[in-house]
Amino acid sequence: MTYRVCFVCTGNICRSPMAESVFRARVAEAGLEGRVEVDSAGTGGWHEGEPADPRTVSVLEEHGYDGEHTARQFLPSWFTRLDLVIALDTGHLRALRRMAPTAEDARKIRLLRSYDPAAGDDLDVPDPYYGGRDGFDECLEMVEAASTGLLAAVREELGGRAA
């Protein structure tokens, strides 16, 4: 049985594609490619069909990650096929909770940085879009730090599932 994770930010061109790429790499490194499916989307459709922001692609590729991406909008109907919906900030968390058709679906939503014990109470990944390159580097650092804990949580969930 496949465990499905979707990362969600605003336009699906900066933070969520970065999280998708990093986590997909962690899943591959862990040998879980056949058991975990990773994708991303935006709360809005402003950039639907567009590639990731060039700064996102640059930062990802410079750190050995895949920069290929096409933006899309998250749809409430996806909740039924997803096991975990990862919001990149509290605004996305609220938007996703409003979209969730059921209380069970709402329980699938988590903030990415909640998987990073060093994050403390600051669980938002800041939007780098309107800033410089350093914001994209900072975003990658936050995503990488949280991905370790997220992978551990997904492995734990997989432990209770048939292969």
Side-chain angles (χ1 to χ4, degrees):
M1 196 158 192
T2 303
Y3 191 90
R4 291 175 173 85
V5 180
C6 184
F7 295 92
V8 181
C9 70
T10 306
N12 193 219
I13 60 168
C14 296
R15 293 172 284 179
S16 59
M18 193 175 285
E20 174 187 358
S21 184
V22 169
F23 195 64
R24 183 175 286 123
R26 295 296 178 271
V27 164
E29 290 164 5
L32 298 172
E33 284 176 293
R35 298 194 64 199
V36 179
E37 182 182 292
V38 183
D39 61 16
S40 67
T43 57
W46 307 279
H47 299 286
E48 205 161 15
E50 296 176 16
D53 185 288
R55 297 166 293 181
T56 298
V57 174
S58 174
V59 167
L60 284 170
E61 290 178 348
E62 285 174 17
H63 288 86
Y65 298 107
D66 182 12
E68 285 290 315
H69 175 75
T70 303
R72 61 196 188 134
Q73 183 174 0
F74 187 89
L75 300 175
S77 61
W78 296 0
F79 276 106
T80 58
R81 68 174 174 81
L82 294 169
D83 297 288
L84 197 54
V85 181
I86 303 293
L88 276 289
D89 71 25
T90 52
H92 308 130
L93 180 76
R94 285 189 301 273
L96 287 163
R97 285 184 176 157
R98 283 191 303 270
M99 281 187 225
T102 68
E104 180 182 337
D105 291 327
R107 286 190 291 274
K108 297 176 182 181
I109 306 164
R110 299 278 188 284
L111 280 166
L112 176 63
R113 292 194 73 208
S114 68
Y115 293 97
D116 179 3
D121 293 334
D122 184 12
L123 299 181
D124 285 352
V125 175
D127 187 353
Y129 186 77
Y130 293 104
R133 166 64 192 252
D134 57 329
F136 288 82
D137 290 323
E138 178 185 18
C139 181
L140 180 63
E141 289 173 19
M142 291 178 176
V143 166
E144 287 179 328
S147 291
T148 301
L150 176 56
L151 183 61
V154 168
R155 276 188 165 166
E156 189 174 313
E157 286 290 320
L158 286 172
R161 290 183 173 208

